[in-house]
């Protein structure tokens, strides 16, 4: 968790992906998740409140996502928070073969 907090992000993307992971039962938290799996939740969460939509989906790319498109949302997740996670000190990657782990 410390490494997640140290990863610089300017939007709430990583928080939304973590929220999706933690909504599963505690016994499932450790399991990996793909961008496609998180796409619907990610979009709904950011579009639910005007401040989420206006803050995180305000740029040109974000505005194109105001209407749900699973592939576009999954691509955004795969590029923007998944590639921004830091490598843990022990050498374990948080992103492996397209899965956030």
């Amino acid at each position: 968790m410390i490494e997640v907090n140290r990863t610089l992000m300017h939007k709430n993307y990583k928080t939304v992906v973590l929220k999706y992971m933690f909504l599963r039962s505690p016994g499932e938290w450790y399991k990996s998740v793909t961008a496609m799996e998180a796409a619907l939740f990610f979009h709904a969460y950011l579009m639910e409140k005007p401040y989420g939509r206006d803050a995180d989906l305000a740029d040109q790319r974000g505005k194109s996502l105001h209407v749900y498109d699973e592939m576009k949302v999954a691509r955004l997740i795969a590029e923007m928070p998944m590639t921004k996670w830091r490598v843990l000190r022990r050498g374990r990657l948080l992103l492996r073969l397209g899965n956030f782990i």
Side-chain angles (χ1 to χ4, degrees):
M1 237 6 206
I2 292 169
E3 294 296 331
V4 169
N5 287 329
R6 289 183 182 164
T7 304
L8 180 63
M9 293 291 290
H10 298 286
K11 300 190 181 204
N12 290 317
Y13 296 163
K14 72 177 180 179
T15 307
V16 178
V17 173
L18 283 172
K19 182 173 180 70
Y20 172 76
M21 293 178 76
F22 290 143
L23 284 174
R24 301 182 290 183
S25 66
E28 305 286 311
W29 287 353
Y30 71 94
K31 292 184 178 178
S32 66
V33 63
T34 66
M36 290 292 277
E37 290 173 297
L40 182 60
F41 174 84
F42 183 89
H43 183 267
Y45 185 87
L46 292 178
M47 293 298 291
E48 181 179 15
K49 305 278 186 197
Y51 58 81
R53 181 181 59 245
D54 297 344
D56 291 319
L57 298 177
D59 60 6
Q60 183 178 354
R61 185 177 188 185
K63 287 179 182 176
S64 74
L65 297 174
H66 283 204
V67 175
Y68 182 67
D69 180 321
E70 183 178 47
M71 292 301 293
K72 285 183 180 180
V73 174
R75 191 173 313 121
L76 175 67
I77 295 168
E79 293 171 4
M80 281 301 298
M82 289 189 166
T83 61
K84 304 300 180 192
W85 297 98
R86 293 168 47 114
V87 176
L88 295 174
R89 288 188 193 109
R90 294 183 191 99
R92 183 174 172 215
L93 296 175
L94 291 174
L95 177 64
R96 188 175 295 144
L97 300 175
N99 286 331
F100 172 69
I101 55 172

